Amino acid sequence: MAIRRSALTLAVAIVAGFGALVVPASAAPNPLQRTEPTYSYANAIRETVWVDTGLSAPNGARVRVAADIIRPSEVTSGVPVIMDASPYYATLGRGNESQKKTYDSAGKPIQFPLHYDNYFVPRGYSVVLVDLSGTARSNGCVDIGGRSEIASAKSVIDWLNGRATGYTTATGTATKTAGWSSGAVGMIGKSWDGTIANGVAATGVDGLKTIVPIGAISSWYDYYRASGATFTSGSPTGLTQVVENAQGAANCASVKSTLTNGSPSTGDYTAMYRERDYVQSASRVKASVFAVHGLNDLNVKTINFGQWWNALPPTVERKIWLSQTGHVDPFDYRRQVWVDTLHKWFDHYLVGIDNGVEDEPGSTVEQSPDVWEDDSSWPPAKSTTTLRLTPSGTAGVGTLGATAPPSGTTAAFTDNPKIGEYDWINNPTATSASRLAYRTGALSSPIRISGTSQITVTATSSSSAARVSAVLVDYGPATIRNYRATGEGIRTLSTRSCWGESATGDSACYLDTAANTTSVTQNVIARGWSDLGHYAGLETRRNLSPGTQYTITFNLATTDQTIPAGHRLGLVIGSTDSSYIAAAGSSPRLVVDLSKTSLRVPLVGSI
């Protein structure tokens, strides 16, 4: 567990009698237990600075990114910073209500999306919302988590610490400094925003004290590919067109060409993806990490948080929240507890308050709708259980357990790219032409799968290319969050609740939400995909020789699921999972050598 900090590292505001008094860092002990809403939100300073990233756009112009700032007018120094760097402020918007930035006729920012400004500015924080390069009011190009986007946020942190140049306009020469800033920055954001937080933390930049990545990518390869298999959800070049501004569309053809060429349909792990793989640089992270992810997030797959978490240095102080939702912000599934926890987290890491948040449970996991379980650390599983596939008297069906089948035991199926996992898991005791199904007996006691499972499959293919997919299934009745429906496990209500202070043009009141649940008799709890032609590595896809055995090992989605007593754990193996991946170009027959196939599961309990 993290070491508790007792000394102040930053200036803190002490609520005393007639207002706020700023005291130096040498003052000790710190009498504050939490920051309070002492400052005027209505009178807060709202301004924009354009920060030089140190990079040049393809047209030769220096890239400046727009950072919209709101900060207390009563404090002129020592103000901590909450930053959300995003490509979405002028396009899709942020939050459940898709809020966008708004400005007055002079270009001064009016609406700051989300509740961070409403809640934290009265408590003495500044909020800085950065437009990533090539989006909204920033110039340059959208490069999908690449060098320019990471520099977009990193350069603003440098400016807040006096190491970069900021300007009063997008193209002018008048400069602006951040003398009001304490230099302590916490980055937060969901999806692409949280992804940038991961990427900037992986640079080890000084001044970044904490990150709160929510549903964030840790490797862009794993957003578009899975062990060589290609997701059907889009392409890097297509994503640029969703968020880029007019100058980006006009000037960034060369960047788009790099993205297209670096993302071949072969599924290879290229230099383009390597640049956008923050896991390989996780050893540089110094900031604390409060990671949040939906265990049923089928947009940013959960392998992204699992591999990031595992790669963080042991010295990094950390905390994790895992929900049963899909791609959803915790503000929309556990609002009161989330705001309170985030408040304590920022107070500790950005203000220096010794409130003990680092000694609280390091893991909070939603076990069933609105039922949460705390653990001291994550994952709680300390060992890996190897499970084998043993056939029964029914072709393609068998037992999942500790006993290995005799050498040379095989089972076969034929790829049907028109169906996928939600078809495969049906009728698990019957033969299917398109998948294999293996289940444990009814569990005598609950088990908990917590972490990243891994499967090794040995198979022959009747054609030169083939996909191999695997899904873990909880077979048994349950009420779950309806993560496949609109809202991905939540429903939006007509009532509103307020979180902080409002001003004209920026309300602190947001639509309430509640869990959206459904009853099931079986539920996929983890899935993984691969291209068999990447059996020798991700860098190059190889053609398969029909009839030749190939062995591939790949990860399933990171998860944390408790399977009740009386249920069965199932493993289903198929080929093209039509809901998520593209076919290999044919419909091969796959013969799986069960004696050389195994599943390794991070397990609490026993089967």
Side-chain angles (χ1 to χ4, degrees):
M1 201 57 213
I3 298 174
R4 184 167 181 166
R5 297 176 178 175
S6 58
L8 286 177
T9 57
L10 302 168
V12 298
I14 299 179
V15 179
F18 298 103
L21 172 67
V22 175
V23 299
S26 59
N30 179 3
L32 280 181
Q33 291 304 306
R34 60 184 284 145
T35 53
E36 299 292 346
T38 305
Y39 306 102
S40 169
Y41 180 76
N43 295 332
I45 295 170
R46 294 165 172 81
E47 59 187 341
T48 304
V49 62
W50 279 264
V51 177
D52 189 328
T53 66
L55 303 177
S56 296
N59 63 359
R62 293 280 284 193
V63 176
R64 293 183 185 179
V65 293
D68 291 314
I69 302 164
I70 181 169
R71 55 188 176 90
S73 60
E74 300 92 334
V75 187
T76 58
S77 64
V79 180
V81 179
I82 298 169
M83 178 191 293
D84 188 338
S86 176
Y88 291 125
Y89 288 128
T91 52
L92 300 184
R94 307 313 295 132
N96 191 37
E97 298 176 52
S98 301
Q99 290 186 317
K100 300 176 183 179
K101 289 180 180 178
T102 63
Y103 303 87
D104 66 15
S105 58
K108 184 176 75 173
I110 298 298
Q111 176 168 271
F112 287 70
L114 306 175
H115 74 287
Y116 306 135
D117 57 311
N118 309 93
Y119 185 85
F120 284 104
V121 170
R123 288 167 169 79
Y125 290 82
S126 61
V127 172
V128 178
L129 305 186
V130 181
D131 297 331
L132 294 183
S133 57
T135 72
R137 299 203 292 176
S138 296
N139 72 332
C141 298
V142 177
D143 67 350
I144 309 297
R147 183 185 178 203
S148 185
E149 290 181 12
I150 300 305
S152 297
K154 180 180 179 296
S155 65
V156 177
I157 296 174
D158 286 335
W159 175 74
L160 290 162
N161 282 274
R163 300 188 300 263
T165 303
Y167 296 88
T168 58
T169 61
T171 58
T173 59
T175 60
K176 179 182 287 190
T177 61
W180 52 267
S181 167
S182 72
V185 180
M187 292 188 68
I188 189 171
K190 175 190 165 191
S191 199
W192 202 330
D193 307 18
T195 301
I196 299 303
N198 284 343
V200 174
T203 70
V205 61
D206 290 335
L208 182 61
K209 302 300 183 182
T210 192
I211 62 170
V212 186
I214 302 166
I217 298 166
S218 61
S219 168
W220 283 90
Y221 179 85
D222 293 293
Y223 185 73
Y224 286 107
R225 303 287 185 263
S227 297
T230 302
F231 290 128
T232 56
S233 54
S235 68
T237 305
L239 189 55
T240 66
Q241 296 167 355
V242 174
V243 299
E244 68 184 354
N245 55 28
Q247 68 83 28
N251 299 320
C252 297
S254 62
V255 174
K256 294 175 187 175
S257 178
T258 297
L259 293 172
T260 298
N261 294 336
S263 186
S265 60
T266 56
D268 294 347
Y269 180 80
T270 63
M272 188 277 288
Y273 280 123
R274 188 174 296 108
E275 178 187 323
R276 293 156 176 81
D277 185 348
Y278 315 129
V279 177
Q280 64 178 350
S281 301
S283 61
R284 301 177 186 172
V285 175
K286 297 181 293 186
S288 63
V289 177
F290 186 175
V292 181
H293 218 104
L295 291 167
N296 292 305
D297 192 338
L298 298 172
N299 179 355
V300 178
K301 313 298 190 294
T302 57
I303 192 66
N304 279 279
F305 88 79
Q307 62 193 7
W308 176 248
W309 186 264
N310 292 337
L312 291 172
T315 54
V316 168
E317 299 180 3
R318 68 188 77 186
K319 184 179 185 70
I320 195 166
W321 269 26
L322 301 173
S323 73
Q324 293 289 340
T325 66
H327 199 54
V328 180
D329 192 293
F331 187 74
D332 293 317
Y333 58 73
R334 207 184 186 206
R335 189 167 294 181
Q336 180 69 67
V337 180
W338 169 246
V339 173
D340 290 345
T341 304
L342 192 62
H343 185 182
K344 288 186 70 173
W345 188 264
F346 282 150
D347 274 0
H348 179 69
Y349 287 103
L350 298 184
V351 181
I353 295 176
D354 188 12
N355 56 22
V357 70
E358 74 279 24
D359 293 329
E360 294 180 355
S363 164
T364 300
V365 179
E366 188 179 24
Q367 297 293 334
S368 60
D370 291 324
V371 176
W372 299 84
E373 180 174 327
D374 292 332
D375 288 290
S376 60
S377 62
W378 192 88
K382 304 302 181 185
S383 62
T384 300
T385 300
T386 298
L387 300 175
R388 307 300 296 268
L389 288 61
T390 302
S392 65
T394 302
V397 173
T399 300
L400 183 66
T403 303
S407 178
T409 302
T410 63
F413 64 95
T414 300
D415 183 20
N416 180 352
K418 295 182 180 180
I419 63 174
E421 61 184 62
Y422 303 112
D423 305 292
W424 299 340
I425 65 176
N426 295 326
N427 303 313
T429 61
T431 298
S432 169
S434 58
R435 56 92 172 128
L436 309 176
Y438 300 85
R439 300 192 304 167
T440 66
L443 298 174
S444 59
S445 59
I447 61 172
R448 182 176 176 183
I449 298 174
S450 182
T452 304
S453 299
Q454 189 177 72
I455 189 169
T456 296
V457 177
T458 297
T460 65
S461 170
S462 64
S463 65
S464 62
R467 306 289 198 228
V468 178
S469 300
V471 295
L472 284 181
V473 188
D474 176 358
Y475 283 102
T479 298
I480 65 170
R481 284 190 182 262
N482 193 6
Y483 62 88
R484 294 178 62 195
T486 301
E488 300 184 47
I490 66 165
R491 53 191 175 89
T492 302
L493 308 179
S494 59
T495 58
R496 290 184 179 271
S497 56
C498 303
W499 301 86
E501 298 182 23
S502 299
T504 302
D506 196 326
S507 172
C509 305
Y510 296 85
L511 289 170
D512 295 317
T513 61
N516 179 18
T517 63
T518 187
S519 296
V520 297
T521 58
Q522 55 201 24
N523 184 39
V524 176
I525 60 173
R527 65 268 287 166
W529 308 270
S530 72
D531 176 80
L532 190 56
H534 286 86
Y535 62 89
L538 293 180
E539 285 74 16
T540 305
R541 177 182 178 180
R542 292 164 170 80
N543 287 330
L544 306 174
S545 297
T548 300
Q549 277 195 345
Y550 298 95
T551 298
I552 190 167
T553 298
F554 58 97
N555 291 328
L556 276 63
T558 307
T559 194
D560 195 311
Q561 301 280 353
T562 296
I563 303 176
H567 287 211
R568 298 172 188 261
L569 174 64
L571 170 66
V572 179
I573 298 175
S575 185
T576 301
D577 187 350
S578 63
S579 297
Y580 303 107
I581 64 172
S586 60
S587 298
R589 183 174 188 268
L590 292 165
V591 179
V592 177
D593 188 331
L594 299 181
S595 65
K596 299 178 181 178
T597 296
S598 61
L599 173 70
R600 288 164 296 286
V601 183
L603 193 64
V604 178
S606 59
I607 294 176

